[in-house]
Amino acid sequence: MNEELRREIIMEHYMQPKNRHRPNEDTYQMVNTNNASCIDNLDIYVKIEDQKIKDICFEGEACAISTSSTSIMIQNLIGKTIEEAKEYIKNFENMLNEQPYDSKQLKEGIVYEEIYKQGNRKHCADLPYEGIKKILDSYSQK
Amino acid sequence: MKIEEFPMLQEDLIYLDNGATTFKPKCVIEKMNEYYETYSANAHRGDYDISFKVDKEYEDARETVRKFINAKDKESIIFTSGTTESLNMIATGFFRKFLEPNDEILITKSEHASNVLPWFRLQNDCGAIVKYIPLDQSHYVTMENLKKVVTPNTKVIALAGITNVIGDERPMKEITKFAHEHNIFVVMDGAQSVPHRKTDVQDLDIDFLAFSGHKMCGPTGIGVLYGKKELLEEMEPVNLGGGMNESFDSPEEMYYKELPTRLEAGTPNIVGAIGLGEAIRFLEKIGMDNIEAYERHLRKYALDKLVQIPHVDLLNIEADGGILAFNVDGIFSQDVAYYLNKYKICVRAGNHCAKILKSEVGVTNSLRVSFYFYNTENDIDALVELLENKEKILKEML
């Protein structure tokens, strides 16, 4: 993907992120995720039914990378089973960590394929995933 | 002052984060290297030549600090690791002993975490109560507002001389005078003021002062706790150990040394103290009044330009320190900082360790530009030029 297109997608998700609101029912689980090295601070809400992610929304303050990454994550994880979601996250994090990964599966997630070059922003892209993993892991252990 | 005196200023950088830390002149680096290369021994030994030299240099540094802040007694100067440790020693070593339940500690919402959390802990530990002096519209402390919240239970007023986000200067002399008339102790967090203007602890009549070496051209890991001698005599050492004890046999029989050694347990940061002494001599050559005047000029120069930019929202139009806090409308502060970094301009984004300030200014995060005497109008011009074009920021911030 060329740089201009990557930029466009990131800016679109930053300016109009998907599902940026708090849930209006209490069937969601919440996790706060923040970055020790910067100031991003997000609350992520997940609704899981029958081992499937029904809905995700978020609220908080974060930079363009964290916000867009959260939006793209939401777009890609809704509808997946917990195991499928974990597989997606593993793939995404492999990309961030310069390990082999399946770019097709990541869809728009690949806009961060070169973020590893900016050491401090890699964490911004990973921030929502670090948060949601905690919720998914708690489900797997049940 | 010549640019050549600072190795870091030879780098291709515009450094505008001096509130966080400052660059070191060659003389400080060389003075510290000299210790490592020619008399690298421990302090308080004196049994051989190089160790004798260590004591002399270390105590000379103390004397340099004493003169710099015009303290009456050399014993009033305690070397610590920095402002944070100094403030913790004041709260834990001194006030924990004296404060009783319902005694009141006055701070403000614009204090740095280091001048908030040690007092919060005292509240949790001994039932003293932390209260806030309300700030005026420009986020200043006024005598009028202070007098409103002082009660017969007020025992301590702990304030930054200059705050680290707003950059307002507090009327410490007036505060101290009023406080002492009401038997209240005054603690001054000097982290953002001591490096930038003349500080005279006798004139201010301050009870305790804390500051850091690295924010004034000195090394990291060294700072100062100043206290009136009679108060430091009452201070409980937080750390016990080597160097500070006179003799000991059993828990019932521990005897401590006199000040200042009593409060400096363990091998001190010898090279840090020596480096700080040299940094102070460097600053004094320039002159603290000159530094203050020049930074006021730089701030005004920057302010006049930044207020012209419609999408720049300033948090502190009025301020005394060389600090400007602002946001670019609609863009997260950190994204702007990343953008400026692409042009090798170093600024800080975030809450600047003043996490309770948000309820005062209504803004959680901001960009902070903070000057020192080696910054120039050219630095500001470069910053302003990059901020003027919002489209460019949006285009290049990723």
Side-chain angles (χ1 to χ4, degrees):
Chain A
M1 191 182 278
N2 73 43
E3 202 186 325
E4 195 45 41
L5 186 57
R6 277 207 302 263
R7 206 192 76 80
E8 237 172 70
I9 293 172
I10 290 173
M11 286 307 284
E12 207 179 286
H13 280 277
Y14 175 46
M15 293 305 196
Q16 283 157 327
K18 189 174 169 64
N19 288 0
R20 184 177 196 151
H21 58 78
R22 297 196 191 279
N24 48 16
E25 44 177 300
D26 57 7
T27 52
Y28 287 71
Q29 288 200 54
M30 193 272 271
V31 65
N32 174 269
T33 182
N34 59 66
N35 201 333
S37 65
C38 66
I39 49 182
D40 298 329
N41 193 333
L42 296 171
D43 291 337
I44 296 175
Y45 301 86
V46 189
K47 181 179 179 174
I48 296 174
E49 273 174 16
D50 304 329
Q51 297 290 307
K52 226 177 179 179
I53 298 174
K54 291 284 179 193
D55 192 27
I56 311 172
C57 54
F58 79 106
E59 198 48 271
E61 276 194 307
C63 68
I65 300 294
S66 287
T67 306
S68 59
S69 186
T70 307
S71 175
I72 291 171
M73 175 187 85
I74 288 173
Q75 186 170 291
N76 284 311
L77 293 192
I78 291 178
K80 283 193 166 43
T81 64
I82 290 174
E83 289 315 307
E84 285 166 349
K86 282 182 156 180
E87 183 58 35
Y88 181 95
I89 295 168
K90 192 164 177 250
N91 203 16
F92 182 84
E93 290 185 336
N94 277 348
M95 175 185 75
L96 295 185
N97 296 320
E98 299 169 76
Q99 301 294 318
Y101 67 99
D102 174 6
S103 61
K104 248 191 187 154
Q105 192 209 339
L106 288 181
K107 298 186 182 157
E108 280 191 340
I110 61 159
V111 292
Y112 307 107
E113 65 189 344
E114 291 197 4
I115 205 92
Y116 68 87
K117 291 177 182 169
Q118 297 166 267
N120 43 1
R121 301 211 94 173
K122 192 169 99 175
H123 296 290
C124 302
D126 200 31
L127 190 68
Y129 296 92
E130 282 171 15
I132 204 165
K133 272 197 293 189
K134 288 181 194 160
I135 291 182
L136 299 180
D137 285 345
S138 73
Y139 263 84
S140 308
Q141 284 156 11
K142 278 177 190 169
Chain B
M1 200 278 303
K2 293 193 197 87
I3 295 289
E4 297 75 48
E5 291 176 276
F6 286 83
M8 283 301 295
L9 293 178
Q10 311 310 307
E11 302 290 317
D12 178 21
L13 277 181
I14 294 178
Y15 184 74
L16 299 174
D17 194 17
N18 294 287
T21 196
T22 55
F23 290 164
K24 322 305 170 202
K26 260 186 208 154
C27 62
V28 168
I29 299 166
E30 280 163 9
K31 184 81 186 170
M32 292 170 72
N33 280 343
E34 189 197 8
Y35 165 79
Y36 283 125
E37 290 172 0
T38 68
Y39 61 102
S40 201
N42 209 326
H44 314 314
R45 302 293 187 274
D47 304 328
Y48 40 90
D49 287 350
I50 57 168
S51 156
F52 183 74
K53 165 117 169 129
V54 169
D55 281 354
K56 187 180 174 308
E57 292 282 348
Y58 185 69
E59 291 307 320
D60 278 357
R62 198 189 307 277
E63 175 61 14
T64 304
V65 172
R66 184 197 68 75
K67 275 196 281 184
F68 181 64
I69 59 170
N70 193 32
K72 198 164 126 224
D73 305 298
K74 211 175 154 186
E75 294 80 10
S76 280
I77 308 298
I78 311 297
F79 284 118
T80 66
S81 67
T83 306
T84 302
E85 186 177 33
S86 301
L87 289 169
N88 274 279
M89 282 167 73
I90 294 165
T92 310
F94 186 82
F95 285 104
R96 189 195 292 247
K97 237 170 64 171
F98 287 104
L99 292 185
E100 291 175 2
N102 299 319
D103 279 350
E104 291 168 2
I105 300 158
L106 287 179
I107 62 170
T108 72
K109 291 200 172 166
S110 50
E111 301 309 307
H112 185 281
S114 303
N115 193 32
V116 176
L117 298 181
W119 305 115
F120 278 4
R121 178 158 68 183
L122 278 193
Q123 171 161 338
N124 291 335
D125 285 0
C126 67
I129 302 165
V130 175
K131 288 192 164 179
Y132 302 102
I133 305 166
L135 303 176
D136 76 0
Q137 274 190 329
S138 304
H139 317 298
Y140 272 64
V141 169
T142 62
M143 288 307 294
E144 197 189 338
N145 279 350
L146 170 69
K147 286 174 188 171
K148 272 187 214 156
V149 284
V150 166
T151 75
N153 288 339
T154 308
K155 295 288 153 63
V156 196
I157 299 172
L159 295 173
I162 294 179
T163 58
N164 75 314
V165 182
I166 300 300
D168 58 305
E169 189 168 11
R170 272 71 183 269
M172 294 309 294
K173 194 173 172 175
E174 251 183 294
I175 291 172
T176 311
K177 186 170 179 293
F178 173 80
H180 289 164
E181 286 164 6
H182 294 79
N183 292 321
I184 301 166
F185 291 107
V186 179
V187 177
M188 176 166 162
D189 165 4
Q192 300 293 341
S193 62
V194 172
H196 302 279
R197 35 184 77 19
K198 196 176 267 171
T199 305
D200 183 331
V201 291
Q202 290 190 71
D203 179 53
L204 294 172
D205 197 23
I206 213 87
D207 297 306
F208 294 100
L209 170 72
F211 60 98
S212 298
H214 70 99
K215 292 187 199 288
M216 48 193 286
C217 296
T220 54
I222 188 77
V224 172
L225 157 63
Y226 160 82
K228 284 180 181 163
K229 197 176 159 193
E230 63 272 23
L231 301 180
L232 289 183
E233 297 280 7
E234 298 293 319
M235 186 180 270
E236 194 67 37
V238 176
N239 293 324
L240 305 182
M244 58 75 67
N245 71 79
E246 190 71 60
S247 68
F248 57 92
D249 264 326
S250 63
E252 292 77 33
E253 289 180 274
M254 304 193 291
Y255 302 99
Y256 305 155
K257 282 186 180 158
E258 302 283 306
L259 290 173
T261 321
R262 191 166 63 80
L263 295 172
E264 292 179 355
T267 294
N269 184 354
I270 298 166
V271 73
I274 293 169
L276 174 58
E278 188 65 20
I280 289 174
R281 284 189 285 275
F282 181 84
L283 295 179
E284 283 176 331
K285 256 185 238 162
I286 302 169
M288 294 311 291
D289 289 338
N290 292 334
I291 290 174
E292 178 181 348
Y294 181 65
E295 287 174 16
R296 281 187 189 272
H297 161 76
L298 278 184
R299 185 179 196 280
K300 184 169 185 318
Y301 183 84
L303 179 71
D304 287 348
K305 291 189 175 239
L306 287 174
V307 290
Q308 306 287 330
I309 307 176
H311 52 263
V312 166
D313 304 324
L314 280 149
L315 268 61
N316 62 342
I317 289 185
E318 202 182 323
D320 311 281
I323 296 174
L324 283 153
F326 58 93
N327 270 303
V328 175
D329 186 29
I331 307 181
F332 195 60
S333 60
Q334 203 150 36
D335 291 321
V336 182
Y338 280 126
Y339 160 76
L340 293 171
N341 177 55
K342 286 188 177 171
Y343 293 89
K344 299 204 180 280
I345 297 183
C346 312
V347 305
R348 176 95 183 266
N351 53 46
H352 319 295
C353 297
K355 296 194 182 193
I356 48 179
L357 179 63
K358 57 179 183 282
S359 60
E360 276 293 325
V361 298
V363 171
T364 328
N365 298 306
S366 63
L367 289 155
R368 184 186 70 179
V369 163
S370 48
F371 304 118
Y372 213 13
F373 56 84
Y374 43 66
N375 288 123
T376 64
E377 289 180 1
N378 287 344
D379 295 346
I380 295 166
D381 290 342
L383 171 78
V384 168
E385 194 188 326
L386 285 168
L387 291 175
E388 267 168 347
N389 190 339
K390 192 174 170 185
E391 287 309 305
K392 188 174 153 80
I393 303 175
L394 281 167
K395 190 154 181 272
E396 298 181 7
M397 68 188 206
L398 296 178

